[in-house]
């Protein structure tokens, strides 16, 4: 089956620094990549949608200059959290979409900003 | 996407069948019923999907009522590893849009 590899699985960073999260589709081409975040005891909330080679579309309330998304190839998408603050601490999850496999999710990244 | 309603939590004894209900009374004719689950601190995992016929795979069975207004996910022999939040999602297949996750059902499988 389809696999999306997400790294790192957890990261701790200092307030004000930037963190990059990578998602790679290993055996399919993800024409679209979705990025979610999940706060404790809450459901997944969509942050943005990115199509390969295009600018990402952000959901209302998500700062595009803070959460930089790059989807330069059909197998790699990255999310960079810039100038991270403690309120950005969350569980970030990517999901790749392919017409054959549907939606495949990464294993998630636990970000803690101290 | 059609709205879905699931009970917030359920318990099931290990080895017994877990039956998770989902109401989707506003489902459209071209919308599928998808089930995903999320084990704690992991990404969601696809379980099964169906349009109107009952479906079965190695993980679970999906029973959809004839009027398609509700469905039941059945885990035939629940194990402790099936403890997770289960999400029922209704949507058009390959729409190109993201999956919208509601609150789901938190299933606890007990020894």
């Amino acid at each position: 089956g389809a696999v999306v590899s997400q790294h790192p699985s957890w990261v701790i960073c200092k307030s004000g620094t930037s963190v990059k999260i990578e998602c790679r589709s290993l055996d399919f081409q993800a024409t679209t990549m979705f990025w979610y975040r999940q706060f404790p005891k809450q459901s997944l909330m969509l942050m943005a949608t990115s199509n390969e080679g295009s600018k990402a579309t952000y959901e209302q309330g998500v700062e595009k200059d803070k959460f930089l998304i790059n989807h330069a190839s059909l197998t790699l998408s990255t999310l960079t959290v810039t100038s991270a603050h403690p309120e950005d601490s969350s569980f970030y999850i990517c999901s790749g979409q392919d017409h054959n496999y549907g939606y495949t999710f990464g294993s998630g990244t636990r970000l803690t900003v101290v | 996407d059609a709205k879905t309603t699931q009970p917030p939590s359920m318990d099931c004894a290990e080895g017994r069948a877990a039956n998770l209900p989902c109401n989707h009374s506003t489902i459209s004719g071209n919308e599928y019923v998808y089930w995903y689950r999320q084990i704690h601190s992991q990404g969601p995992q696809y379980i099964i999907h169906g349009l109107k016929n009952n479906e079965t795979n190695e993980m679970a069975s999906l029973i959809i009522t004839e009027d398609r207004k509700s469905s039941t996910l059945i885990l035939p022999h629940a194990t402790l590893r099936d403890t997770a939040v289960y999400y029922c999602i209704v949507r058009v297949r390959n729409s190109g849009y993201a999956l919208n996750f509601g609150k789901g059902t938190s299933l606890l499988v007990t020894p």
Side-chain angles (χ1 to χ4, degrees), chain A residues 32 34 36 38 42-44 46 49 51 91 93 95 97-100 102-108 110, chain B residues 34 36 38 40-46 87 91-104:
Chain A
T32 304
F34 305 102
Y36 297 82
Q38 184 176 32
Q42 294 186 22
S43 189
L44 287 79
L46 180 67
T49 299
N51 293 300
F91 191 56
I93 306 166
S95 172
Q97 186 187 24
D98 169 78
H99 288 298
N100 292 323
Y103 302 88
T104 304
F105 290 83
S107 54
R110 174 77 57 195
Chain B
Y34 288 85
Y36 283 76
Q38 185 181 25
H40 182 63
S41 293
Q42 296 184 25
Q45 176 189 24
Y46 165 81
Y87 297 97
R91 68 123 25 111
V92 174
R93 191 172 183 181
N94 289 337
S95 69
Y97 295 101
L99 290 175
N100 294 317
F101 290 83
K103 296 184 178 179

Side-chain angles (χ1 to χ4, degrees), chain A residues 28-80:
Chain A
F28 72 102
Q29 294 183 326
T31 53
T32 304
M33 191 71 79
F34 305 102
W35 288 92
Y36 297 82
R37 62 181 168 184
Q38 184 176 32
F39 294 107
K41 298 190 184 301
Q42 294 186 22
S43 189
L44 287 79
M45 296 208 49
L46 180 67
M47 298 176 65
T49 299
S50 72
N51 293 300
E52 184 261 341
S54 304
K55 287 186 178 180
T57 302
Y58 292 82
E59 295 299 300
Q60 191 172 11
V62 177
E63 301 174 57
K64 62 179 182 179
D65 294 330
K66 182 172 185 59
F67 298 99
L68 301 180
I69 292 172
N70 184 287
H71 193 170
S73 78
L74 288 172
T75 58
L76 175 64
S77 179
T78 61
L79 168 67
T80 302

Side-chain angles (χ1 to χ4, degrees), chain B residues 33-82:
Chain B
V33 180
Y34 288 85
W35 283 85
Y36 283 76
R37 72 179 181 184
Q38 185 181 25
I39 295 170
H40 182 63
S41 293
Q42 296 184 25
Q45 176 189 24
Y46 165 81
I47 302 173
I48 199 167
H49 74 279
L51 183 62
K52 48 186 173 182
N53 297 323
N54 297 337
E55 302 287 344
T56 296
N57 63 20
E58 65 277 4
M59 288 183 68
S61 294
L62 173 61
I63 309 297
I64 303 174
T65 58
E66 191 168 344
D67 62 7
R68 300 208 324 124
K69 293 186 176 181
S70 66
S71 60
T72 301
L73 177 73
I74 301 172
L75 307 178
H77 305 288
T79 70
L80 299 179
R81 289 178 293 180
D82 292 322

